[in-house]
PDB file of all heavy atoms in Angstrom:
ATOM      1  N   SER A   1     -35.820  -8.260  36.650  1.00 78.00           N
ATOM      2  CA  SER A   1     -36.615  -7.238  37.342  1.00 78.00           C
ATOM      3  C   SER A   1     -37.244  -7.768  38.623  1.00 78.00           C
ATOM      4  O   SER A   1     -37.435  -7.024  39.589  1.00 78.00           O
ATOM      5  CB  SER A   1     -37.711  -6.722  36.414  1.00 78.00           C
ATOM      6  OG  SER A   1     -37.145  -6.167  35.256  1.00 78.00           O
ATOM      7  N   ARG A   2     -37.571  -9.072  38.637  1.00 82.00           N
ATOM      8  CA  ARG A   2     -38.170  -9.658  39.842  1.00 82.00           C
ATOM      9  C   ARG A   2     -37.236  -9.554  41.034  1.00 82.00           C
ATOM     10  O   ARG A   2     -37.673  -9.520  42.176  1.00 82.00           O
ATOM     11  CB  ARG A   2     -38.524 -11.127  39.593  1.00 82.00           C
ATOM     12  CG  ARG A   2     -39.653 -11.341  38.596  1.00 82.00           C
ATOM     13  CD  ARG A   2     -39.813 -12.804  38.304  1.00 82.00           C
ATOM     14  NE  ARG A   2     -38.602 -13.346  37.691  1.00 82.00           N
ATOM     15  CZ  ARG A   2     -38.303 -14.642  37.613  1.00 82.00           C
ATOM     16  NH1 ARG A   2     -39.124 -15.539  38.107  1.00 82.00           N
ATOM     17  NH2 ARG A   2     -37.189 -15.044  37.037  1.00 82.00           N
ATOM     18  N   ALA A   3     -35.914  -9.510  40.754  1.00 81.00           N
ATOM     19  CA  ALA A   3     -34.928  -9.426  41.834  1.00 81.00           C
ATOM     20  C   ALA A   3     -35.112  -8.145  42.638  1.00 81.00           C
ATOM     21  O   ALA A   3     -34.876  -8.124  43.847  1.00 81.00           O
ATOM     22  CB  ALA A   3     -33.512  -9.490  41.268  1.00 81.00           C
ATOM     23  N   VAL A   4     -35.528  -7.065  41.977  1.00 86.00           N
ATOM     24  CA  VAL A   4     -35.730  -5.796  42.671  1.00 86.00           C
ATOM     25  C   VAL A   4     -36.899  -5.922  43.643  1.00 86.00           C
ATOM     26  O   VAL A   4     -36.812  -5.503  44.803  1.00 86.00           O
ATOM     27  CB  VAL A   4     -35.968  -4.650  41.671  1.00 86.00           C
ATOM     28  CG1 VAL A   4     -36.307  -3.353  42.408  1.00 86.00           C
ATOM     29  CG2 VAL A   4     -34.745  -4.457  40.787  1.00 86.00           C
ATOM     30  N   PHE A   5     -38.001  -6.530  43.181  1.00 88.00           N
ATOM     31  CA  PHE A   5     -39.171  -6.699  44.052  1.00 88.00           C
ATOM     32  C   PHE A   5     -38.858  -7.624  45.224  1.00 88.00           C
ATOM     33  O   PHE A   5     -39.027  -7.249  46.387  1.00 88.00           O
ATOM     34  CB  PHE A   5     -40.346  -7.261  43.254  1.00 88.00           C
ATOM     35  CG  PHE A   5     -41.528  -7.624  44.106  1.00 88.00           C
ATOM     36  CD1 PHE A   5     -42.402  -6.642  44.564  1.00 88.00           C
ATOM     37  CD2 PHE A   5     -41.768  -8.934  44.486  1.00 88.00           C
ATOM     38  CE1 PHE A   5     -43.493  -6.968  45.362  1.00 88.00           C
ATOM     39  CE2 PHE A   5     -42.854  -9.271  45.279  1.00 88.00           C
ATOM     40  CZ  PHE A   5     -43.708  -8.282  45.725  1.00 88.00           C
ATOM     41  N   PHE A   6     -38.390  -8.837  44.920  1.00 85.00           N
ATOM     42  CA  PHE A   6     -38.142  -9.807  45.984  1.00 85.00           C
ATOM     43  C   PHE A   6     -36.941  -9.418  46.839  1.00 85.00           C
ATOM     44  O   PHE A   6     -36.901  -9.727  48.034  1.00 85.00           O
ATOM     45  CB  PHE A   6     -37.955 -11.207  45.399  1.00 85.00           C
ATOM     46  CG  PHE A   6     -39.226 -11.780  44.831  1.00 85.00           C
ATOM     47  CD1 PHE A   6     -39.382 -11.933  43.463  1.00 85.00           C
ATOM     48  CD2 PHE A   6     -40.272 -12.136  45.659  1.00 85.00           C
ATOM     49  CE1 PHE A   6     -40.560 -12.450  42.937  1.00 85.00           C
ATOM     50  CE2 PHE A   6     -41.459 -12.645  45.153  1.00 85.00           C
ATOM     51  CZ  PHE A   6     -41.600 -12.802  43.787  1.00 85.00           C
ATOM     52  N   GLY A   7     -35.987  -8.719  46.239  1.00 81.00           N
ATOM     53  CA  GLY A   7     -34.825  -8.265  46.996  1.00 81.00           C
ATOM     54  C   GLY A   7     -35.182  -7.315  48.111  1.00 81.00           C
ATOM     55  O   GLY A   7     -34.525  -7.267  49.153  1.00 81.00           O
ATOM     56  N   ARG A   8     -36.267  -6.558  47.943  1.00 84.00           N
ATOM     57  CA  ARG A   8     -36.703  -5.627  48.971  1.00 84.00           C
ATOM     58  C   ARG A   8     -37.235  -6.343  50.213  1.00 84.00           C
ATOM     59  O   ARG A   8     -37.384  -5.743  51.271  1.00 84.00           O
ATOM     60  CB  ARG A   8     -37.804  -4.700  48.430  1.00 84.00           C
ATOM     61  CG  ARG A   8     -37.379  -3.818  47.288  1.00 84.00           C
ATOM     62  CD  ARG A   8     -36.245  -2.895  47.660  1.00 84.00           C
ATOM     63  NE  ARG A   8     -36.626  -2.002  48.738  1.00 84.00           N
ATOM     64  CZ  ARG A   8     -35.797  -1.564  49.681  1.00 84.00           C
ATOM     65  NH1 ARG A   8     -34.546  -1.951  49.697  1.00 84.00           N
ATOM     66  NH2 ARG A   8     -36.215  -0.756  50.622  1.00 84.00           N
ATOM     67  N   LEU A   9     -37.493  -7.637  50.092  1.00 81.00           N
ATOM     68  CA  LEU A   9     -38.030  -8.415  51.209  1.00 81.00           C
ATOM     69  C   LEU A   9     -36.953  -9.211  51.945  1.00 81.00           C
ATOM     70  O   LEU A   9     -37.244  -9.856  52.944  1.00 81.00           O
ATOM     71  CB  LEU A   9     -39.111  -9.381  50.698  1.00 81.00           C
ATOM     72  CG  LEU A   9     -40.225  -8.756  49.842  1.00 81.00           C
ATOM     73  CD1 LEU A   9     -41.150  -9.835  49.299  1.00 81.00           C
ATOM     74  CD2 LEU A   9     -41.006  -7.726  50.643  1.00 81.00           C
ATOM     75  N   ILE A  10     -35.716  -9.169  51.441  1.00 78.00           N
ATOM     76  CA  ILE A  10     -34.633  -9.974  52.011  1.00 78.00           C
ATOM     77  C   ILE A  10     -33.599  -9.043  52.636  1.00 78.00           C
ATOM     78  O   ILE A  10     -32.962  -8.254  51.925  1.00 78.00           O
ATOM     79  CB  ILE A  10     -33.969 -10.848  50.924  1.00 78.00           C
ATOM     80  CG1 ILE A  10     -35.028 -11.743  50.268  1.00 78.00           C
ATOM     81  CG2 ILE A  10     -32.828 -11.674  51.514  1.00 78.00           C
ATOM     82  CD1 ILE A  10     -34.535 -12.478  49.047  1.00 78.00           C
ATOM     83  N   PRO A  11     -33.446  -9.100  53.972  1.00 71.00           N
ATOM     84  CA  PRO A  11     -32.558  -8.153  54.652  1.00 71.00           C
ATOM     85  C   PRO A  11     -31.164  -8.024  54.054  1.00 71.00           C
ATOM     86  O   PRO A  11     -30.664  -6.917  53.887  1.00 71.00           O
ATOM     87  CB  PRO A  11     -32.509  -8.702  56.084  1.00 71.00           C
ATOM     88  CG  PRO A  11     -33.842  -9.353  56.259  1.00 71.00           C
ATOM     89  CD  PRO A  11     -34.165  -9.960  54.920  1.00 71.00           C
ATOM     90  N   ALA A  12     -30.508  -9.103  53.701  1.00 66.00           N
ATOM     91  CA  ALA A  12     -29.133  -9.030  53.204  1.00 66.00           C
ATOM     92  C   ALA A  12     -29.047  -8.432  51.805  1.00 66.00           C
ATOM     93  O   ALA A  12     -28.014  -7.910  51.406  1.00 66.00           O
ATOM     94  CB  ALA A  12     -28.505 -10.428  53.208  1.00 66.00           C
ATOM     95  N   ILE A  13     -30.128  -8.485  51.058  1.00 72.00           N
ATOM     96  CA  ILE A  13     -30.137  -8.046  49.663  1.00 72.00           C
ATOM     97  C   ILE A  13     -30.807  -6.682  49.501  1.00 72.00           C
ATOM     98  O   ILE A  13     -30.569  -5.975  48.532  1.00 72.00           O
ATOM     99  CB  ILE A  13     -30.903  -9.087  48.791  1.00 72.00           C
ATOM    100  CG1 ILE A  13     -30.238 -10.454  48.880  1.00 72.00           C
ATOM    101  CG2 ILE A  13     -31.030  -8.656  47.350  1.00 72.00           C
ATOM    102  CD1 ILE A  13     -28.915 -10.549  48.179  1.00 72.00           C
ATOM    103  N   ARG A  14     -31.627  -6.294  50.471  1.00 75.00           N
ATOM    104  CA  ARG A  14     -32.561  -5.176  50.333  1.00 75.00           C
ATOM    105  C   ARG A  14     -31.932  -3.909  49.753  1.00 75.00           C
ATOM    106  O   ARG A  14     -32.462  -3.304  48.828  1.00 75.00           O
ATOM    107  CB  ARG A  14     -33.214  -4.888  51.686  1.00 75.00           C
ATOM    108  CG  ARG A  14     -34.414  -4.023  51.584  1.00 75.00           C
ATOM    109  CD  ARG A  14     -35.317  -4.113  52.787  1.00 75.00           C
ATOM    110  NE  ARG A  14     -34.661  -3.837  54.024  1.00 75.00           N
ATOM    111  CZ  ARG A  14     -34.589  -4.714  55.040  1.00 75.00           C
ATOM    112  NH1 ARG A  14     -35.116  -5.907  54.925  1.00 75.00           N
ATOM    113  NH2 ARG A  14     -33.987  -4.391  56.152  1.00 75.00           N
ATOM    114  N   THR A  15     -30.811  -3.467  50.291  1.00 75.00           N
ATOM    115  CA  THR A  15     -30.163  -2.261  49.787  1.00 75.00           C
ATOM    116  C   THR A  15     -29.309  -2.557  48.569  1.00 75.00           C
ATOM    117  O   THR A  15     -29.306  -1.803  47.602  1.00 75.00           O
ATOM    118  CB  THR A  15     -29.303  -1.619  50.892  1.00 75.00           C
ATOM    119  OG1 THR A  15     -30.157  -1.232  51.975  1.00 75.00           O
ATOM    120  CG2 THR A  15     -28.575  -0.394  50.387  1.00 75.00           C
ATOM    121  N   LEU A  16     -28.593  -3.677  48.601  1.00 77.00           N
ATOM    122  CA  LEU A  16     -27.634  -3.989  47.543  1.00 77.00           C
ATOM    123  C   LEU A  16     -28.271  -4.189  46.181  1.00 77.00           C
ATOM    124  O   LEU A  16     -27.625  -3.944  45.162  1.00 77.00           O
ATOM    125  CB  LEU A  16     -26.839  -5.253  47.921  1.00 77.00           C
ATOM    126  CG  LEU A  16     -25.831  -5.108  49.053  1.00 77.00           C
ATOM    127  CD1 LEU A  16     -25.254  -6.453  49.418  1.00 77.00           C
ATOM    128  CD2 LEU A  16     -24.725  -4.146  48.654  1.00 77.00           C
ATOM    129  N   ILE A  17     -29.521  -4.631  46.124  1.00 81.00           N
ATOM    130  CA  ILE A  17     -30.134  -4.957  44.834  1.00 81.00           C
ATOM    131  C   ILE A  17     -30.272  -3.725  43.948  1.00 81.00           C
ATOM    132  O   ILE A  17     -30.358  -3.831  42.716  1.00 81.00           O
ATOM    133  CB  ILE A  17     -31.502  -5.668  45.037  1.00 81.00           C
ATOM    134  CG1 ILE A  17     -31.894  -6.427  43.768  1.00 81.00           C
ATOM    135  CG2 ILE A  17     -32.572  -4.674  45.451  1.00 81.00           C
ATOM    136  CD1 ILE A  17     -30.939  -7.515  43.351  1.00 81.00           C
ATOM    137  N   SER A  18     -30.259  -2.538  44.542  1.00 86.00           N
ATOM    138  CA  SER A  18     -30.346  -1.309  43.755  1.00 86.00           C
ATOM    139  C   SER A  18     -29.108  -1.095  42.905  1.00 86.00           C
ATOM    140  O   SER A  18     -29.179  -0.469  41.839  1.00 86.00           O
ATOM    141  CB  SER A  18     -30.511  -0.103  44.679  1.00 86.00           C
ATOM    142  OG  SER A  18     -31.607  -0.282  45.531  1.00 86.00           O
ATOM    143  N   ILE A  19     -27.970  -1.602  43.368  1.00 83.00           N
ATOM    144  CA  ILE A  19     -26.705  -1.361  42.670  1.00 83.00           C
ATOM    145  C   ILE A  19     -26.672  -2.045  41.300  1.00 83.00           C
ATOM    146  O   ILE A  19     -26.433  -1.380  40.292  1.00 83.00           O
ATOM    147  CB  ILE A  19     -25.512  -1.758  43.558  1.00 83.00           C
ATOM    148  CG1 ILE A  19     -25.460  -0.810  44.771  1.00 83.00           C
ATOM    149  CG2 ILE A  19     -24.206  -1.722  42.776  1.00 83.00           C
ATOM    150  CD1 ILE A  19     -24.437  -1.155  45.815  1.00 83.00           C
ATOM    151  N   PRO A  20     -26.907  -3.368  41.208  1.00 84.00           N
ATOM    152  CA  PRO A  20     -26.906  -3.963  39.868  1.00 84.00           C
ATOM    153  C   PRO A  20     -28.015  -3.424  38.972  1.00 84.00           C
ATOM    154  O   PRO A  20     -27.838  -3.327  37.755  1.00 84.00           O
ATOM    155  CB  PRO A  20     -27.088  -5.456  40.135  1.00 84.00           C
ATOM    156  CG  PRO A  20     -27.624  -5.567  41.505  1.00 84.00           C
ATOM    157  CD  PRO A  20     -27.091  -4.375  42.244  1.00 84.00           C
ATOM    158  N   ALA A  21     -29.144  -3.035  39.565  1.00 85.00           N
ATOM    159  CA  ALA A  21     -30.216  -2.439  38.757  1.00 85.00           C
ATOM    160  C   ALA A  21     -29.733  -1.145  38.108  1.00 85.00           C
ATOM    161  O   ALA A  21     -30.033  -0.872  36.935  1.00 85.00           O
ATOM    162  CB  ALA A  21     -31.446  -2.176  39.620  1.00 85.00           C
ATOM    163  N   GLY A  22     -28.962  -0.366  38.852  1.00 87.00           N
ATOM    164  CA  GLY A  22     -28.387   0.863  38.289  1.00 87.00           C
ATOM    165  C   GLY A  22     -27.274   0.577  37.304  1.00 87.00           C
ATOM    166  O   GLY A  22     -27.160   1.238  36.269  1.00 87.00           O
ATOM    167  N   LEU A  23     -26.453  -0.424  37.593  1.00 83.00           N
ATOM    168  CA  LEU A  23     -25.326  -0.752  36.718  1.00 83.00           C
ATOM    169  C   LEU A  23     -25.787  -1.205  35.338  1.00 83.00           C
ATOM    170  O   LEU A  23     -25.143  -0.897  34.334  1.00 83.00           O
ATOM    171  CB  LEU A  23     -24.448  -1.831  37.356  1.00 83.00           C
ATOM    172  CG  LEU A  23     -23.654  -1.417  38.591  1.00 83.00           C
ATOM    173  CD1 LEU A  23     -22.870  -2.597  39.154  1.00 83.00           C
ATOM    174  CD2 LEU A  23     -22.702  -0.254  38.277  1.00 83.00           C
ATOM    175  N   VAL A  24     -26.879  -1.965  35.283  1.00 81.00           N
ATOM    176  CA  VAL A  24     -27.371  -2.438  33.983  1.00 81.00           C
ATOM    177  C   VAL A  24     -28.350  -1.436  33.362  1.00 81.00           C
ATOM    178  O   VAL A  24     -28.945  -1.705  32.322  1.00 81.00           O
ATOM    179  CB  VAL A  24     -28.041  -3.830  34.089  1.00 81.00           C
ATOM    180  CG1 VAL A  24     -27.069  -4.852  34.639  1.00 81.00           C
ATOM    181  CG2 VAL A  24     -29.311  -3.780  34.923  1.00 81.00           C
ATOM    182  N   CYS A  25     -28.479  -0.265  34.001  1.00 82.00           N
ATOM    183  CA  CYS A  25     -29.351   0.805  33.505  1.00 82.00           C
ATOM    184  C   CYS A  25     -30.797   0.338  33.324  1.00 82.00           C
ATOM    185  O   CYS A  25     -31.429   0.610  32.291  1.00 82.00           O
ATOM    186  CB  CYS A  25     -28.804   1.387  32.197  1.00 82.00           C
ATOM    187  SG  CYS A  25     -27.218   2.226  32.415  1.00 82.00           S
ATOM    188  N   MET A  26     -31.308  -0.372  34.331  1.00 87.00           N
ATOM    189  CA  MET A  26     -32.724  -0.713  34.342  1.00 87.00           C
ATOM    190  C   MET A  26     -33.520   0.585  34.236  1.00 87.00           C
ATOM    191  O   MET A  26     -33.172   1.574  34.891  1.00 87.00           O
ATOM    192  CB  MET A  26     -33.054  -1.430  35.655  1.00 87.00           C
ATOM    193  CG  MET A  26     -34.481  -1.885  35.790  1.00 87.00           C
ATOM    194  SD  MET A  26     -34.717  -2.713  37.418  1.00 87.00           S
ATOM    195  CE  MET A  26     -36.425  -3.219  37.281  1.00 87.00           C
ATOM    196  N   PRO A  27     -34.557   0.643  33.395  1.00 91.00           N
ATOM    197  CA  PRO A  27     -35.317   1.895  33.254  1.00 91.00           C
ATOM    198  C   PRO A  27     -35.782   2.426  34.618  1.00 91.00           C
ATOM    199  O   PRO A  27     -36.310   1.653  35.436  1.00 91.00           O
ATOM    200  CB  PRO A  27     -36.511   1.480  32.388  1.00 91.00           C
ATOM    201  CG  PRO A  27     -36.013   0.309  31.606  1.00 91.00           C
ATOM    202  CD  PRO A  27     -35.082  -0.420  32.522  1.00 91.00           C
ATOM    203  N   PRO A  28     -35.584   3.712  34.879  1.00 92.00           N
ATOM    204  CA  PRO A  28     -35.908   4.270  36.205  1.00 92.00           C
ATOM    205  C   PRO A  28     -37.340   4.021  36.655  1.00 92.00           C
ATOM    206  O   PRO A  28     -37.573   3.680  37.816  1.00 92.00           O
ATOM    207  CB  PRO A  28     -35.634   5.769  36.034  1.00 92.00           C
ATOM    208  CG  PRO A  28     -34.681   5.862  34.896  1.00 92.00           C
ATOM    209  CD  PRO A  28     -34.993   4.729  33.989  1.00 92.00           C
ATOM    210  N   LEU A  29     -38.302   4.203  35.756  1.00 94.00           N
ATOM    211  CA  LEU A  29     -39.702   4.005  36.151  1.00 94.00           C
ATOM    212  C   LEU A  29     -39.981   2.549  36.490  1.00 94.00           C
ATOM    213  O   LEU A  29     -40.727   2.257  37.437  1.00 94.00           O
ATOM    214  CB  LEU A  29     -40.637   4.477  35.036  1.00 94.00           C
ATOM    215  CG  LEU A  29     -40.689   5.998  34.813  1.00 94.00           C
ATOM    216  CD1 LEU A  29     -41.618   6.333  33.662  1.00 94.00           C
ATOM    217  CD2 LEU A  29     -41.114   6.723  36.085  1.00 94.00           C
ATOM    218  N   LYS A  30     -39.370   1.643  35.765  1.00 92.00           N
ATOM    219  CA  LYS A  30     -39.541   0.221  36.051  1.00 92.00           C
ATOM    220  C   LYS A  30     -38.922  -0.121  37.395  1.00 92.00           C
ATOM    221  O   LYS A  30     -39.508  -0.842  38.204  1.00 92.00           O
ATOM    222  CB  LYS A  30     -38.897  -0.606  34.935  1.00 92.00           C
ATOM    223  CG  LYS A  30     -39.201  -2.087  35.010  1.00 92.00           C
ATOM    224  CD  LYS A  30     -38.613  -2.799  33.791  1.00 92.00           C
ATOM    225  CE  LYS A  30     -38.984  -4.275  33.807  1.00 92.00           C
ATOM    226  NZ  LYS A  30     -38.399  -4.996  32.645  1.00 92.00           N
ATOM    227  N   PHE A  31     -37.721   0.422  37.647  1.00 93.00           N
ATOM    228  CA  PHE A  31     -37.069   0.202  38.938  1.00 93.00           C
ATOM    229  C   PHE A  31     -37.939   0.742  40.069  1.00 93.00           C
ATOM    230  O   PHE A  31     -38.151   0.067  41.082  1.00 93.00           O
ATOM    231  CB  PHE A  31     -35.693   0.869  38.979  1.00 93.00           C
ATOM    232  CG  PHE A  31     -35.056   0.824  40.335  1.00 93.00           C
ATOM    233  CD1 PHE A  31     -34.434  -0.323  40.800  1.00 93.00           C
ATOM    234  CD2 PHE A  31     -35.115   1.931  41.181  1.00 93.00           C
ATOM    235  CE1 PHE A  31     -33.878  -0.370  42.068  1.00 93.00           C
ATOM    236  CE2 PHE A  31     -34.559   1.893  42.449  1.00 93.00           C
ATOM    237  CZ  PHE A  31     -33.937   0.736  42.888  1.00 93.00           C
ATOM    238  N   LEU A  32     -38.443   1.965  39.901  1.00 94.00           N
ATOM    239  CA  LEU A  32     -39.270   2.580  40.944  1.00 94.00           C
ATOM    240  C   LEU A  32     -40.538   1.774  41.197  1.00 94.00           C
ATOM    241  O   LEU A  32     -40.963   1.625  42.344  1.00 94.00           O
ATOM    242  CB  LEU A  32     -39.621   4.017  40.561  1.00 94.00           C
ATOM    243  CG  LEU A  32     -38.500   5.043  40.758  1.00 94.00           C
ATOM    244  CD1 LEU A  32     -38.887   6.383  40.153  1.00 94.00           C
ATOM    245  CD2 LEU A  32     -38.154   5.201  42.232  1.00 94.00           C
ATOM    246  N   LEU A  33     -41.132   1.235  40.136  1.00 94.00           N
ATOM    247  CA  LEU A  33     -42.346   0.427  40.300  1.00 94.00           C
ATOM    248  C   LEU A  33     -42.064  -0.806  41.142  1.00 94.00           C
ATOM    249  O   LEU A  33     -42.741  -1.067  42.143  1.00 94.00           O
ATOM    250  CB  LEU A  33     -42.899   0.022  38.932  1.00 94.00           C
ATOM    251  CG  LEU A  33     -44.087  -0.959  38.971  1.00 94.00           C
ATOM    252  CD1 LEU A  33     -45.294  -0.314  39.647  1.00 94.00           C
ATOM    253  CD2 LEU A  33     -44.432  -1.434  37.564  1.00 94.00           C
ATOM    254  N   PHE A  34     -41.024  -1.569  40.768  1.00 93.00           N
ATOM    255  CA  PHE A  34     -40.729  -2.822  41.469  1.00 93.00           C
ATOM    256  C   PHE A  34     -40.232  -2.574  42.890  1.00 93.00           C
ATOM    257  O   PHE A  34     -40.617  -3.282  43.818  1.00 93.00           O
ATOM    258  CB  PHE A  34     -39.709  -3.643  40.679  1.00 93.00           C
ATOM    259  CG  PHE A  34     -40.302  -4.404  39.542  1.00 93.00           C
ATOM    260  CD1 PHE A  34     -40.331  -3.868  38.268  1.00 93.00           C
ATOM    261  CD2 PHE A  34     -40.858  -5.660  39.736  1.00 93.00           C
ATOM    262  CE1 PHE A  34     -40.890  -4.555  37.200  1.00 93.00           C
ATOM    263  CE2 PHE A  34     -41.414  -6.365  38.685  1.00 93.00           C
ATOM    264  CZ  PHE A  34     -41.442  -5.800  37.408  1.00 93.00           C
ATOM    265  N   THR A  35     -39.389  -1.558  43.064  1.00 93.00           N
ATOM    266  CA  THR A  35     -38.867  -1.306  44.417  1.00 93.00           C
ATOM    267  C   THR A  35     -39.961  -0.731  45.321  1.00 93.00           C
ATOM    268  O   THR A  35     -39.983  -1.007  46.525  1.00 93.00           O
ATOM    269  CB  THR A  35     -37.626  -0.383  44.375  1.00 93.00           C
ATOM    270  OG1 THR A  35     -36.905  -0.520  45.612  1.00 93.00           O
ATOM    271  CG2 THR A  35     -37.981   1.071  44.182  1.00 93.00           C
ATOM    272  N   THR A  36     -40.892   0.043  44.744  1.00 95.00           N
ATOM    273  CA  THR A  36     -42.002   0.583  45.538  1.00 95.00           C
ATOM    274  C   THR A  36     -42.938  -0.530  45.987  1.00 95.00           C
ATOM    275  O   THR A  36     -43.351  -0.577  47.155  1.00 95.00           O
ATOM    276  CB  THR A  36     -42.786   1.638  44.742  1.00 95.00           C
ATOM    277  OG1 THR A  36     -41.899   2.730  44.421  1.00 95.00           O
ATOM    278  CG2 THR A  36     -43.963   2.174  45.552  1.00 95.00           C
ATOM    279  N   LEU A  37     -43.256  -1.455  45.084  1.00 94.00           N
ATOM    280  CA  LEU A  37     -44.137  -2.570  45.448  1.00 94.00           C
ATOM    281  C   LEU A  37     -43.501  -3.443  46.532  1.00 94.00           C
ATOM    282  O   LEU A  37     -44.154  -3.829  47.507  1.00 94.00           O
ATOM    283  CB  LEU A  37     -44.464  -3.407  44.212  1.00 94.00           C
ATOM    284  CG  LEU A  37     -45.358  -2.727  43.165  1.00 94.00           C
ATOM    285  CD1 LEU A  37     -45.481  -3.598  41.930  1.00 94.00           C
ATOM    286  CD2 LEU A  37     -46.725  -2.398  43.746  1.00 94.00           C
TER     287      LEU A  37
END
């Protein structure tokens, strides 16, 4: 889950990190929390 938070700060990863989060079915609210922060 930390990858979603820190991934939002890294230009090369920022958009792509959403894909594996969706593929592994990370809970939507948890994803939204980490990506929002």
Side-chain angles (χ1 to χ4, degrees):
S1 301
R2 292 173 298 163
V4 175
F5 173 79
F6 290 110
R8 298 300 299 146
L9 308 175
I10 303 171
I13 300 289
R14 195 160 55 240
T15 298
L16 289 173
I17 200 61
S18 306
I19 294 174
L23 291 178
V24 301
C25 295
M26 182 180 183
L29 290 178
K30 189 175 183 181
F31 173 79
L32 283 171
L33 174 64
F34 280 93
T35 199
T36 299
L37 291 174

